Each structure stands twice: as C-alpha cells, then as structure tokens.
Amino acid sequence: MFTAEVDEPYQCAVWKGIETRAKDMGVGVICFVGHRIDSPIVSEATANVAYQMADDKNLDGLIIISTTIATFIDKEKIGKIFSSRKRLPQISVGCKVPGIPSITVNGLESIGYLVEHLVRVHGRRRIALIGGPQGHPEAEERELEFRKALARESVSFDERLVAQGDFMRNSGALATKKILAKKIPFDALFCMNDRMAFGALDMLHRNNLRVPEDVAVVGFDGVEESSYKTPPLTTVEQPLTELGYTAVDTVLDILNGKEPEDKVLICRPLIRQSCGCPPRRPFHLSSTELAEETPSETVRAVEELTSLILTGDEDRFISHLNTTLATTLRSGGDLKIWHDYLSVIRRRTTPSGKPVAKQRESLFEFARALLGDIENRHHAERRVAAENKLSSLRSVSASLSGGFEMNIILHRLETGLQELGIGEGFLVLFQGEEKPSPSSRLMLAPKCHGRNEIPEGGIRFQTKRLLPRHCDINWRESSWVLEPLVFQDEPLGYMMLPGGLGESAVYDALAEQVSSALKGTLLLQQVRSHEKHLEVEVARRTAELIKTNKELTREIQRRMHLEQEVSQISNLTMQRIGQDLHDDICQHLAGVAMHTSVLQSRLSETDTKAAANLTQIGDLLSESINRTKQIARGLYPAGLPEHGLVSAVEELVESIRRSYQVSIHFIASQDFVIDDTDTALQLYRIIQEALANAVKHAESKRIQVGLYLEDRGPKESIKTAAVYVAEVIDYGKGMPPEIPDAGMGLRIMRYRAKTIGAELVIERLNPGTRVRCRGCYRKGTSG
C-alpha cells in the first residue's frame, strides 16, 4: 500500500481495513509511508523515496491511496505513478484512474442532501466553501456537486466566499481566515474534508463565532474524530474500513486470474450538531431485526440475552451483557451498534401492542447506561494509553538524542521498541550517493531474525529486496509499515515496523526521532573519518611545505642578494655617470669656455659683433656646466657619505629651488643622523622622486620637506634606535582619485622603501599630496 500519512484519520482507517482483511485472508501486507507527490515541502518530497523502493521484486500487488498522495498533481501525473509499475497488479483507492481498477466512493448524493438540509431545515443561504486542491479529481467532483445542489435550491453562490485548501487541517484554518478577512457575511461553511473542517472550527472559535448558532459547519469523510468535536461534526461518512476490505479483495481477485472491475462504494450523510440540529439518539428504538451481515457470534449473544430477559434472570442478563461488550471491544468491534441490538432485544421481549413494564424499562435504561459507561471507559483507556505512549516516545527520543555512536543508537532503539510495545523492527541504511541506492545495509533486526549475527558494519544486500534473503520467509507473512528515514532533503534509509499498533502516530514520530539521531551519528562518523584523512593529509602537506619552505627560503635569499647587487650596481652606475659628468664633461666644457673667453677678448677690439656672440656662447656654456653639475649631483650626491643625508637633501632642495623657481621650506631635526650609506641613499632617492613629482606633475609653487625623528621616549634611546620620518608635502594639483600604483616612479619609491624596511604612505590633501616614508633605524645596522 502507498499512502501519504499513516497517522491521518482517513488513511489510518483505510490501512486498518487493509490490515484486517489481509490477516483474514492469510496474506502479508506492507505500508509504504511516503508523502504527497510533488510536495513543495522539502522533507515531504524527500520522503517519497519510499515509493521508489516498491516493485515486483518485493511485492505481488499494489494498492495506491491515490486520493491522498495526489494532492499536488493532476490526472496525467497520477496515471504515470501506475504506468511506471506495469508488471504489478495495481488498484487505485479514492481516485478513478483510466486503465487501472479503481475503488471509489459516491458521496455526491450525500453532498446534495446536506446542502438541501442546510437550506431547507436551517434556513442557511449564505454558504461559504473551502474546496480541495485545484486539479484534484475528488475535490473537483465534490465542489461541482455542491454548486449544483445550491442551484437546485435556487440559492446563489457568492464567489467571494470560496477559498482553497489542501485537505490538511491547517489549510482549513487559513482558508477560513481568508474568508473572514473579506468581511462578507455568511451563515454556513461547507468543507470538502473533515480535516479542513477541524481547522475551520478552530479558526471560527478564535474569532468568537459560535457553531452552529452563528455559522453552521459541514465536513466530508466521517473520520472518528468528527464525532468527538464540540459540537459533533455533521459530515458525509465514507465507508473507510470497507474501502480497505474491498482493496485487498480486488488485488487477490487479480492475482487469482479474475477480470478486475471498478467498484463504487456509497457514502451516507451523518447529521450531527454542527449544522444546527439537536443531539440525537445514537440508535433506533424501532429496530426489530438484526441485519443480514451480523456476525453469527453476535446473533447468538443477542438470542441468549433475549432468553435471559424472558426467563426473568435480570442479574445474569446484565452480567452476560457486560461480558459480551468486553468481548466486542477485545475483538476490535464497534460498541455503538449494540444500541440497536438492545432495541432488537427490547422488541423481542415486549408483547406486541403492550406498554413496557416499568421494571423492564428500568432494566433497559441500565443496560444502555452500562453500554455508555463501557464506551467512556474505553475512550478514557485509549486516551491514557496514548498519553503513556507519548511519554514513552519522549523517553525514547531523549535516549536516542544522547547517543552518537551507531552501536549505542541501535541498542537504545531496540530497547525503545520494547518500551513502546512494538517489540521488533528492522533498520536499514542506504549505501552510496544515489537515493535509494542499489545496495543498503541492514543494521537492526529482531533477535529471532539473526540480530546477533549482524556485524558492526551491517549486512549488505540489494535494496530492491527490502531485507536480506535470510529475513524473507518470516516478514512476508506479516503486516509491516515501512517508514523512510529522512533528514531535511537527505534520505538516510528506512525502518520496517510491525503493523497493528493502536496508535498509528507512533510510526511517524519514531521515524522522525530515529532520523535525527542517525544523522547526528553519521555526521560524527564523517567528522572522524575526515579527521583521520586530514591527519594524513596534513602530515603529507606539512612535509611538502617544509621542503617548499626551505627551497623558498633559499630562493628569497638568492633574490635578496640579487636585488642588493642590482641596487649596488645601479648606485655605482649612477655614481660613475655622475662622476664622469662632473669630472670629464664639466671640465671639458670649462676648457671650451676658457678658449671662448680668450677668443672673445681678442675680438673685442676688432670685431665687436663676433665678440658679443662669443659672450653669449660663453654664458650658455656656463649654464650647461651648472646644469651638468646638477645632473651629476642628482645621479649621485657626492657629499652624502662625508656630510650626511641632511646636507645632501639640503643641497638637492637648493638646486631644485634655483632650477624651477619654487618656494621650498626644508626642516630637519638636529638629532637626525643616519650613518648607513645605503639607507641614507634610498631615502635621498625617495625625496628626490617626490620633489620631481611635486614640481613637474603637481606644478606646486610651494613645497615642504622634512626629516625628523619621532618622539619615542627618553632621548637616551635615540642613541641606539630611532623611528625616522622623511616627508615631502606639496600644495599643487594633487593625486587623481585612484592613486596610480602602476606608475614607474611610485613603484620604484615603494621598492626603495621596502628594501630598507620602511613604510611608504601617499595620501591626498586638500590641496596637494603628502609622501611620507617611515622606518626604524638602529645605529650600526643597515636600517
């Protein structure tokens, strides 16, 4: 059997009918509990992995409760569910599926009857509707009949008073809330199933609307809970148990070679108090004969009770009645039918046309009171049993949540199954990424099925078999519920638990608890596996990194040596070019200037015009000599080693001040001394580049140059170490919004700062730019 919820009243009643009939016919039955196909709820969609596991390898026939699993799909998709398993005899329960033997109910006449009842008996004409899912065959048929019935009663239907649900209780509450929010008066609410009617009753109560005084409410299904609501729900009763019986009989007929036929069962209206009717007797006083289908043991019990009354043995009558009712309960029978049986006994023991004696009438009143008392005790016992079961579930849940080892989880689950009265069960985990995977592992089985033989890693087998071969013989003869184990969107495996539990909610609740515990255990296993793998990987990578680090260290040292050599070669080259310019070119130009001066003196008396030209040439030569000297000093400040950085920068500032006619303010701390030539030279070059940028690019007419030491405590500390700062501030056009680090000049400046372990910061001012180089200098070191 495929079903969407074994805990839902409709599906639970059908399942119990299937179980009972299968047991009577001596066949095994298994309930695959998935959920609604194409559900938008992730966990529901994932649970449908259960349906994928059923095929002709593990089943002989298939009953699909299509009306519940097809909430979100249309007729075409319903057909595909069946067509995917053509080799299996299949039947549909609830929905008519073309080409598939279908067992459906006809509740349309009862819907029409209840609409007529609301209009004619209770005068309700503003009737709202909570419909089922759009596209659902049964929901559409019911709504169509509802509208036809209103038309037959000449009652117009306000389309604003309709809201759609999905057959779930909460959807009934939400649909009612939507209708109430429209502020349109209505005096009756017709719901297309009982669960939505229960939600509607809750919402009406929260909004202080009385049922049935303010709003009459009608449902559809006739589930057991509908008779216990306040007020009891008027509804259309489906023959749910008979649906299960008929489903089993139909599958067995197909397996026995009989031609399958569609079957339609008849529903009946149940008039209760939610429509506005007063309470009614649960029996008929006029009952005179037993129905033909009355079981033979019940017929005998009625005859014996009748005989005891006729002989006047009232005490034995009450005692025998009490025993008979207890037997009915133990066999799962319905006590309510005994109200009619008592009416039959009353008729048989009362002479025709004569009034019932007061003593006899008192006896029957006592008998009915006893029947009511037994019913109440039975319901109280069920409620206490359910509470005890819930308490046991909480205990099992707490036990499972505290274990993160697979063997602990399995042991506690085995103990929990005993506490819940289940006794035995199978637990299977999927093996592999594919879900369901081709192979699985049996982790837990009853002792009588070889539980003690299961190794720590489980028994591997083909998933399509549901259980390993050595479990086949026994489990196929019984009733089982297969619950998928799902954690959010991940199928983990499944449990197979014995059927026949009084509280069907245990199946879903236990599956949810086991899923959470298993997920925690599997995650811990993954973490431990990853830890081991990580340890190995870390050891391998550490060895590689140590080797790489050694190679990198050697490479860095080699690169540093190369950079130092390049820097030294660059400085030496610039020094040599500067010296050549100063000592050679300048001297050569000076000699030319002397000859020019001598020639100018000789011509001054004979050719004044030529003498004037020679004077101009001499001036140009003098200017060229000065510029060449400036270039030479720029390439290498000759006085830097002898006179220090401050003197060299002061000379550089004076040279630029004369060459570019700019105002440069230079300030240097008295204690600013850097005795390392390399550090001093790099700082000089940085200042030189910054001054060139300020003059050429920023076009600043005012520049400030500073060399100073930061105050870091007592002056004695300056003797050994100091934090120096060299900065150039201009007030020109400033840097662009994005500082172009790709520029050659800035890149060289940053490189020079890096080589001496200093920090170079370039910041925009308003207006202008600040170039600041800051580093720590220890005397006697290179910076």
Side-chain angles (χ1 to χ4, degrees), residues 380-636:
E381 186 179 13
R382 286 178 57 186
R383 185 173 62 254
V384 170
E387 290 174 354
N388 290 337
K389 195 80 73 175
L390 180 61
S391 176
S392 298
L393 269 174
R394 285 195 292 265
S395 175
V396 172
S397 177
S399 173
L400 292 174
S401 64
F404 290 97
E405 300 286 346
M406 184 61 72
N407 60 338
I408 295 176
I409 292 292
L410 296 176
H411 174 72
R412 291 181 178 178
L413 175 59
E414 197 170 29
T415 304
L417 292 177
Q418 297 293 332
E419 292 178 7
L420 292 168
I422 296 174
E424 60 183 19
F426 299 92
L427 188 147
V428 175
L429 295 181
F430 293 137
Q431 183 81 29
E433 297 296 326
E434 186 182 351
K435 307 297 181 183
S437 55
S439 64
S440 296
R441 292 178 294 147
L442 175 66
M443 307 300 296
L444 177 68
K447 288 184 172 61
C448 60
H449 290 282
R451 167 68 179 90
N452 294 330
E453 300 175 7
I454 297 179
E456 183 176 348
I459 299 175
R460 190 163 179 169
F461 67 99
Q462 290 183 347
T463 305
K464 288 297 185 181
R465 297 189 61 84
L466 295 185
L467 291 173
R469 291 181 182 276
H470 72 275
C471 297
D472 282 359
I473 297 175
N474 294 317
W475 77 265
R476 290 181 181 274
E477 299 174 358
S478 307
S479 170
W480 296 91
V481 174
L482 186 146
E483 281 276 0
L485 299 175
V486 172
F487 187 82
Q488 297 177 354
D489 62 345
E490 181 183 1
L492 306 175
Y494 55 91
M495 281 196 308
M496 283 179 57
L497 303 174
L501 289 186
E503 295 298 328
S504 55
V506 171
Y507 294 114
D508 290 338
L510 188 60
E512 184 176 342
Q513 293 163 4
V514 172
S515 297
S516 298
L518 282 177
K519 182 59 179 178
T521 301
L522 294 174
L523 284 175
L524 184 60
Q525 288 180 349
Q526 290 178 2
V527 169
R528 289 176 175 173
S529 175
H530 289 164
E531 283 180 349
K532 291 181 180 179
H533 176 73
L534 189 61
E535 288 177 359
V536 174
E537 188 66 17
V538 166
R540 184 181 68 82
R541 292 294 296 162
T542 300
E544 291 180 356
L545 287 173
I546 291 174
K547 179 181 178 181
T548 303
N549 187 56
K550 290 179 179 178
E551 294 176 354
L552 185 60
T553 301
R554 289 195 296 267
E555 181 65 24
I556 290 174
Q557 291 174 347
R558 190 175 70 85
R559 179 176 175 179
M560 290 176 62
H561 290 316
L562 288 175
E563 288 178 347
Q564 290 176 357
E565 289 180 10
V566 169
S567 178
Q568 290 172 357
I569 291 170
S570 174
N571 289 332
L572 289 173
T573 301
M574 294 175 69
Q575 179 181 358
R576 182 173 298 171
I577 293 173
Q579 288 176 345
D580 288 345
L581 287 174
H582 185 275
D583 298 340
D584 187 1
I585 301 298
C586 287
Q587 295 301 321
H588 182 73
L589 290 175
V592 173
M594 289 178 61
H595 287 295
T596 302
S597 176
V598 171
L599 182 59
Q600 183 263 338
S601 297
R602 292 177 180 177
L603 292 176
S604 60
E605 296 178 359
T606 59
D607 191 346
T608 56
K609 186 175 182 180
N613 290 334
L614 287 172
T615 300
Q616 290 179 353
I617 292 172
D619 293 340
L620 291 173
L621 284 171
S622 296
E623 183 179 351
S624 297
I625 291 171
N626 290 331
R627 289 189 177 185
T628 302
K629 288 181 178 180
Q630 289 177 8
I631 292 173
R633 282 192 293 269
L635 289 172
Y636 186 79

Side-chain angles (χ1 to χ4, degrees), residues 268-421:
R268 68 186 184 98
L270 287 179
I271 303 296
R272 297 192 181 116
Q273 297 169 44
S274 69
C275 64
C277 287
R280 298 184 178 187
R281 290 191 184 98
F283 56 89
H284 300 90
L285 285 173
S286 59
S287 298
T288 59
E289 297 296 335
L290 298 175
E292 291 183 4
E293 64 271 15
T294 304
S296 58
E297 59 269 22
T298 303
V299 173
R300 287 194 299 271
V302 170
E303 292 173 349
E304 291 173 1
L305 290 168
T306 301
S307 176
L308 289 171
I309 289 182
L310 291 174
T311 58
D313 197 344
E314 295 179 354
D315 290 340
R316 284 188 63 195
F317 168 80
I318 293 300
S319 177
H320 190 55
L321 176 63
N322 185 61
T323 301
T324 302
L325 294 176
T327 303
T328 302
L329 274 181
R330 283 194 298 271
S331 64
D334 184 8
L335 285 179
K336 290 184 176 63
I337 193 65
W338 271 95
H339 284 287
D340 288 335
Y341 295 160
L342 286 174
S343 296
V344 171
I345 297 171
R346 184 176 181 275
R347 284 287 183 179
R348 290 181 178 181
T349 57
T350 302
S352 178
K354 292 185 179 182
V356 181
K358 289 185 177 180
Q359 185 176 353
R360 183 73 54 80
E361 192 65 44
S362 176
L363 177 65
F364 278 103
E365 287 178 0
F366 180 73
R368 293 192 189 279
L370 176 64
L371 176 56
D373 182 57
I374 293 176
E375 283 187 292
N376 291 335
R377 280 191 281 114
H378 174 59
H379 291 309
E381 186 179 13
R382 286 178 57 186
R383 185 173 62 254
V384 170
E387 290 174 354
N388 290 337
K389 195 80 73 175
L390 180 61
S391 176
S392 298
L393 269 174
R394 285 195 292 265
S395 175
V396 172
S397 177
S399 173
L400 292 174
S401 64
F404 290 97
E405 300 286 346
M406 184 61 72
N407 60 338
I408 295 176
I409 292 292
L410 296 176
H411 174 72
R412 291 181 178 178
L413 175 59
E414 197 170 29
T415 304
L417 292 177
Q418 297 293 332
E419 292 178 7
L420 292 168

Side-chain angles (χ1 to χ4, degrees), residues 707-751:
L707 293 173
Y708 56 88
L709 300 177
E710 285 188 352
D711 185 7
R712 300 191 67 189
K715 291 188 177 180
E716 289 77 13
S717 63
I718 298 177
K719 296 179 181 179
T720 57
V723 175
Y724 61 80
V725 176
E727 67 178 10
V728 176
I729 302 174
D730 71 68
Y731 301 92
K733 294 189 297 186
M735 300 290 290
E738 295 294 333
I739 297 176
D741 286 338
M744 181 62 72
L746 293 181
R747 287 168 58 188
I748 291 175
M749 291 170 66
R750 293 190 188 282
Y751 174 77

Side-chain angles (χ1 to χ4, degrees), residues 38-278:
D38 286 355
S39 172
I41 302 172
V42 174
S43 59
E44 288 189 8
T46 307
N48 292 332
V49 68
Y51 301 147
Q52 301 176 38
M53 298 164 57
D55 64 13
D56 57 351
K57 292 183 180 179
N58 49 52
L59 299 174
D60 301 307
L62 183 60
I63 300 170
I64 297 182
I65 314 299
S66 52
T67 189
T68 59
I69 71 173
T71 301
F72 295 110
I73 60 178
D74 54 23
K75 294 180 180 179
E76 182 179 349
K77 284 191 175 182
I78 295 176
K80 289 182 179 179
I81 297 173
F82 291 88
S83 62
S84 62
R85 296 174 176 82
K86 292 181 179 180
R87 292 181 294 183
L88 270 177
Q90 304 173 83
I91 64 167
S92 170
V93 174
C95 288
K96 178 70 180 73
V97 179
I100 299 296
S102 302
I103 303 173
T104 57
V105 298
N106 184 357
L108 303 184
E109 185 176 338
S110 295
I111 289 176
Y113 177 86
L114 290 179
V115 170
E116 177 185 311
H117 180 79
L118 287 172
V119 175
R120 296 186 183 183
V121 177
H122 300 293
R124 309 294 173 123
R125 303 185 68 85
R126 298 285 301 171
I127 304 178
L129 171 68
I130 298 180
Q134 292 183 350
H136 191 280
E138 272 196 312
E140 291 182 344
E141 288 178 359
R142 294 174 192 176
E143 182 171 337
L144 180 61
E145 180 58 29
F146 168 80
R147 292 174 180 271
K148 287 180 179 179
L150 283 179
R152 288 195 298 268
E153 297 300 317
S154 301
V155 175
S156 59
F157 180 62
D158 190 339
E159 294 295 339
R160 296 174 296 173
L161 292 177
V162 61
Q164 301 300 135
D166 61 5
F167 286 155
M168 306 295 282
R169 183 171 186 146
N170 188 53
S171 73
L174 293 176
T176 305
K177 185 177 181 180
K178 290 179 182 178
I179 294 173
L180 291 172
K182 296 176 182 178
K183 306 294 184 182
I184 302 171
F186 63 97
D187 54 17
L189 180 59
F190 208 111
C191 304
M192 287 308 167
N193 84 334
D194 285 351
R195 295 179 84 182
M196 294 193 298
F198 300 155
L201 288 171
D202 295 339
M203 184 57 65
L204 291 171
H205 177 72
R206 287 200 290 270
N207 283 272
N208 299 316
L209 291 171
R210 300 169 301 167
V211 177
E213 292 85 354
D214 299 324
V215 179
V217 177
V218 174
F220 191 106
D221 280 340
V223 299
E224 184 180 10
E225 185 181 351
S226 65
S227 63
Y228 304 130
K229 301 303 293 184
T230 302
L233 182 67
T234 295
T235 184
V236 176
E237 183 182 42
Q238 293 199 62
L240 302 179
T241 302
E242 189 178 351
L243 277 172
Y245 290 171
T246 308
V248 173
D249 290 343
T250 303
V251 173
L252 292 177
D253 286 345
I254 297 173
L255 291 173
N256 290 328
K258 294 183 180 180
E259 190 67 24
E261 295 180 357
D262 290 346
K263 297 178 182 178
V264 180
L265 307 183
I266 303 301
C267 300
R268 68 186 184 98
L270 287 179
I271 303 296
R272 297 192 181 116
Q273 297 169 44
S274 69
C275 64
C277 287

